[in-house]
Amino acid sequence: MSIEREFEGKTVTDATIEACKELGITRDELNFEVIREGSSGVLGIGSRNAIIKVRDVESGNNDIQKNELDAVPMDTEKIEKIFRHIVDHFVEESEIEVEVQNRNILLKMKSSADLGFLIGKKGDMIKNLEFLLSRIASKQQSQSVLVGIDINSYRERKNDQLKEKVQSMVEKVVSINRPLSLNPMNSYERRISYLIIEQNNEVTYTTKEYGHLKKITIFPKKLDTNLS
Amino acid sequence: MDKVGELIKLIASSLVDKPEQVEIQEVIGDSTTVYELRVAQEDLGKIIGKQGKTARAIRVLLGAAAAKEKRRAVLEIIE
């Protein structure tokens, strides 16, 4: 069954966002045609909304796709083998547990030996390993797969620490009513931070590129204009 | 080839389209071992990665693996 629907927005982008929200699909899955480009007019006079026509909207289509994705058997053998190979180089005895969630693989590792080598300075080594293994896994599956590594619950502890830090930062911003910046973080850490920041509706945030990382600045919503 | 070399080879061949063309050569010096990695021309980008990210990750891993054996190791990617 094929349905056509039209969506309106200030710009084409706005219209597509609206359409995605309404249909519960991602931008990539959206099949649309631009009917009319929006124009802002002069000083808001004569402005026209953009209109797009979305084709092939099949209800239930989305669910089928999702099921198919889940059904793809994840071949973790190779990843496990490579990870084990790497790990064996550093420690003699270790236990590795593989967990598959959706399209992500989580490697849980436990050992009584010193695992500092595998963690690296500030988790550098873990991040590198995760990156490499993700690349390898994505290659094997021909779709993007994220590989996470947890060494003796290091990741869990680190996540908790980060959450605590962001939470205290948010509280501080509210109490002193001035913006504060967090250290540059990667996307995984930022995701955790955003979730914490968004829980507090007295603050908002901006993100700025910082090398290959990004820096989050938390602002109080009611900025005291007397301070500047 | 030693264990470190094998490790690099395993990782490199899992990243490329033509694993049969991955070659590693060791050049052993006084304190430093240089690993020369050769891959098919079209796979070079996969080994290096966006802004050298993949190459950097392999180098860090290599460095740590060698440090464990109290050696130094360098990865050279040969074009």
Side-chain angles (χ1 to χ4, degrees):
Chain A
M1 189 175 72
S2 175
I3 319 165
E4 285 185 354
R5 281 184 67 176
E6 285 186 3
F7 290 92
E8 251 186 86
K10 262 188 190 154
T11 63
V12 174
T13 322
D14 284 341
T16 53
I17 292 169
E18 190 59 39
C20 291
K21 253 193 213 161
E22 187 83 22
L23 302 168
I25 55 178
T26 65
R27 177 77 166 74
D28 297 332
E29 292 168 319
L30 195 67
N31 180 9
F32 69 93
E33 198 183 337
V34 178
I35 304 286
R36 194 175 73 189
E37 297 263 358
S39 78
S40 50
V42 182
L43 297 170
I45 302 163
S47 67
R48 291 192 311 180
N49 277 351
I51 298 177
I52 59 165
K53 188 156 83 180
V54 180
R55 263 163 301 159
D56 297 333
V57 187
E58 277 179 54
S59 46
N61 182 22
N62 210 20
D63 291 336
I64 295 163
Q65 269 186 346
K66 258 192 193 147
N67 285 341
E68 268 170 5
L69 263 181
D70 288 344
V72 174
M74 196 69 114
D75 178 20
T76 58
E77 211 175 292
K78 179 120 191 189
I79 295 301
E80 211 185 329
K81 193 185 135 204
I82 293 173
F83 184 60
R84 208 170 274 280
H85 200 287
I86 295 170
V87 167
D88 281 350
H89 188 82
F90 291 99
V91 280
E92 279 93 49
E93 260 180 70
S94 59
E95 231 180 88
I96 299 175
E97 207 182 294
V98 184
E99 231 175 74
V100 181
Q101 318 157 321
N102 264 327
R103 279 195 278 169
N104 301 337
I105 303 171
L106 185 63
L107 299 162
K108 277 189 184 168
M109 199 192 138
K110 280 206 170 82
S111 169
S112 49
D114 178 24
L115 296 170
F117 258 111
L118 271 173
I119 293 173
K121 243 189 227 160
K122 287 188 178 175
D124 260 2
M125 196 64 179
I126 288 195
K127 279 180 197 162
N128 268 315
L129 279 177
E130 281 175 349
F131 173 73
L132 271 179
L133 290 173
S134 300
R135 290 299 304 266
I136 294 170
S138 306
K139 172 119 191 80
Q140 240 85 61
Q141 308 289 331
S142 320
Q143 61 172 358
S144 95
V145 179
L146 277 179
V147 179
I149 302 173
D150 197 356
I151 297 177
N152 280 354
S153 314
Y154 173 82
R155 192 191 187 87
E156 235 170 81
R157 255 183 304 147
K158 205 73 192 164
N159 283 355
D160 288 345
Q161 267 175 25
L162 180 65
K163 279 180 199 163
E164 229 167 81
K165 196 180 147 201
V166 174
Q167 187 61 48
S168 72
M169 213 51 156
V170 168
E171 278 158 22
K172 201 167 172 196
V173 167
V174 173
S175 73
I176 65 172
N177 207 22
R178 275 196 206 198
L180 285 173
S181 294
L182 291 161
N183 290 333
M185 290 184 283
N186 66 22
S187 58
Y188 176 77
E189 294 165 324
R190 285 201 307 275
R191 200 182 103 66
I192 294 173
S193 310
Y194 291 145
L195 290 175
I196 301 282
I197 298 171
E198 278 166 5
Q199 279 172 13
N200 191 317
N201 48 21
E202 283 175 78
V203 292
T204 171
Y205 57 83
T206 58
T207 316
K208 209 174 156 190
E209 204 98 8
Y210 205 87
H212 61 283
L213 304 169
K214 280 180 188 164
K215 202 170 169 176
I216 301 176
T217 306
I218 310 170
F219 287 96
K221 271 189 181 154
K222 290 178 214 147
L223 194 63
D224 193 344
T225 42
N226 293 333
L227 299 164
S228 62
Chain B
M1 202 172 6
D2 66 355
K3 250 179 103 179
V4 180
E6 265 170 43
L7 183 63
I8 300 300
K9 187 164 186 179
L10 178 69
I11 292 170
S13 22
S14 327
L15 284 168
V16 296
D17 285 332
K18 292 181 175 166
E20 67 281 359
Q21 283 192 44
V22 174
E23 271 175 54
I24 296 239
Q25 236 176 353
E26 284 174 278
V27 183
I28 301 168
D30 290 344
S31 58
T32 314
T33 310
V34 180
Y35 292 91
E36 293 183 343
L37 175 64
R38 282 188 176 77
V39 294
Q41 186 65 39
E42 57 268 39
D43 282 333
L44 211 55
K46 295 203 182 66
I47 288 293
I48 296 170
K50 204 172 167 189
Q51 307 208 325
K53 212 178 161 189
T54 314
R56 200 186 312 138
I58 299 175
R59 286 197 171 113
V60 170
L61 188 64
L62 174 65
K68 183 86 182 166
E69 296 173 359
K70 303 225 165 16
R71 291 192 295 136
R72 274 173 195 280
V74 179
L75 177 72
E76 292 256 14
I77 298 165
I78 313 275
E79 283 185 61

